[in-house]
Amino acid sequence: EFCCHTASMLHYMQQNEDAFNLQSMELHEPRVVATEATIIQALTSSLNEYVTKTREHEHNFAGYGVTNNSNSASSNNGGAEGCITKREFSEWQRKIVPDLLYCSVVRMFEVLFFSPELPSHLLSSLPQNPKNSIFQKYSRPFPILESSKEFTTKTTTKAGDLTVVSSPVFGSNARSEGISDSANNSAAAASTLLSPPIFAFTSISTTKFGGKWHRLYAGADGWTFQKLEHAIMGYDGPTLLVMKASSKQNETVTLGAYTAAKWERNKRDFFGVPDCFLFQLVPTLRVLKSLPKMGTRGGHYMYFHSNTNTQNLNPSKKDELAEGLGFGGTVRTPRLFIDCHLEECRASSKDTSFEEGNLGVTPSDDPFSSTFSPSGGAFAVGDKETIMRGFQAQNHYRDIADSTLRNARTVDKAAFLGDMRNGVIETKAFAHRGQVDGR
């Protein structure tokens, strides 16, 4: 809770009067307290779960909690049930959220006490404006959601125009009330609030999630597997897939996967790189990292198989491969799987490619089967240069696909007309030629 609130304060400080009134020191936008509480509870549950499993392991294999050592065990736990030692907290933090302290407390101290030293000629050239405070010179606020239209469309927008992007998981990048200029032209204003879920991911890795967030796909774009496929195929950069699912116990779970590899379609096998992980964000933050490949075991990182792009000479004969998008497991039963109709999400607790852990509702060792609701989406994450290269690769990929489709259509038309002229296809369209030749 302390880290989350410190990160929020730092986020507001770096935006200065955009975030709050300098006179009254009140925020322009009310904080989303419920979302903050949900993420804080997810982090707390993650810590409690890690400590419980660690103590059980020490008890089973190292005599932790044995009667004759009860005094030492009690002292290590602070002398009261429910307490967690500094060692246990540090171990959990290094494993699950290694950047939790850096992106909040450490950065706050850096900004307050170790401000950057700028040359005098640069200091004199800076405009005397409250917005240009030393906080903004040092580091940027936490990221907000951005649109991919600036990379994927040829239309241009005026500098400063905001494309509104909203997510059921991460919130909106725009204020609800908007702003008005001197000519009473209303426009969307960028939100100054810190998204608690984005803070959680930044705690996992500032390098991966502390830069830009561009939305690749959301349910509002058209809730079909073909739309999802079109949005992510060809993008050559790190992506984050986030979804909400309702379990059989009517509990809502937010889960997904991160991968640094390029998406490929219909490989009929797994692909990808070890730089990936599965996660559950809510109700308990869990990060299940990839495992090293050991011979033929492991290495099943990413899977994408769609029957819409596979030519099957015998449609009645099925190859039994799972049709959809998945991570881990096998080609028939991926560990985390979304079917090709975007209607079902399945997850199991273990496989040979990722660390063991429940992605659904605990306790359960059975596959977590649920209804996949239109919440979440796919996001391109990373620094500006990485995202720009990713979209350039996607644009090139789409240009090649469009060119191939145009060529195929041209060839098909020529072959069709040739068959008609040669009489392969019965038609009267060229009958007059024979009559003329007969004369």
Side-chain angles (χ1 to χ4, degrees), residues 82-194:
C83 293
I84 294 173
T85 66
K86 289 186 289 185
R87 175 184 63 83
E88 291 170 333
F89 178 86
S90 298
E91 290 176 354
W92 164 80
Q93 186 246 323
R94 283 196 298 266
K95 178 174 175 58
I96 306 298
V97 282
D99 287 342
L100 174 65
L101 296 176
Y102 170 73
C103 72
S104 56
V105 180
V106 174
R107 285 182 59 189
M108 174 65 80
F109 274 94
E110 287 179 344
V111 169
L112 292 179
F113 301 111
F114 300 98
S115 57
E117 295 182 2
L118 299 178
S120 58
H121 67 279
L122 290 179
L123 287 173
S124 60
S125 64
L126 292 176
Q128 300 300 318
N129 190 311
K131 291 186 178 182
N132 296 311
S133 73
I134 197 65
F135 301 132
Q136 286 187 324
K137 304 293 184 300
Y138 192 84
S139 59
R140 61 179 179 272
F142 285 84
I144 63 172
L145 301 183
E146 298 182 58
S147 173
S148 60
K149 289 183 178 180
E150 60 179 290
F151 299 103
T152 57
T153 62
K154 296 182 179 180
T155 58
T156 58
T157 57
K158 294 186 296 182
D161 285 358
L162 178 69
T163 301
V164 178
V165 176
S166 181
S167 165
V169 176
F170 300 104
S172 176
N173 67 340
R175 301 184 194 179
S176 57
E177 71 277 6
I179 57 175
S180 299
D181 57 18
S182 57
N184 292 325
N185 296 319
S186 59
S191 174
T192 58
L193 294 179
L194 169 62

Side-chain angles (χ1 to χ4, degrees), residues 311-388:
Q311 292 182 353
N312 192 344
L313 298 179
N314 186 2
S316 63
K317 183 179 179 181
K318 296 184 178 180
D319 54 15
E320 296 184 354
L321 297 181
E323 294 181 359
L325 179 153
F327 298 83
T330 67
V331 292
R332 290 176 174 79
T333 56
R335 178 174 176 179
L336 175 61
F337 179 71
I338 306 169
D339 74 337
C340 61
H341 303 292
L342 295 186
E343 294 178 350
E344 188 177 17
C345 169
R346 299 196 304 269
S348 56
S349 60
K350 55 185 176 181
D351 72 322
T352 59
S353 300
F354 294 92
E355 294 176 334
E356 182 176 349
N358 285 289
L359 292 170
V361 179
T362 355
S364 173
D365 292 329
D366 297 327
F368 167 72
S369 182
S370 64
T371 301
F372 182 56
S373 61
S375 301
F379 301 88
V381 294
D383 57 59
K384 185 176 181 180
E385 291 73 19
T386 299
I387 289 181
M388 184 176 297

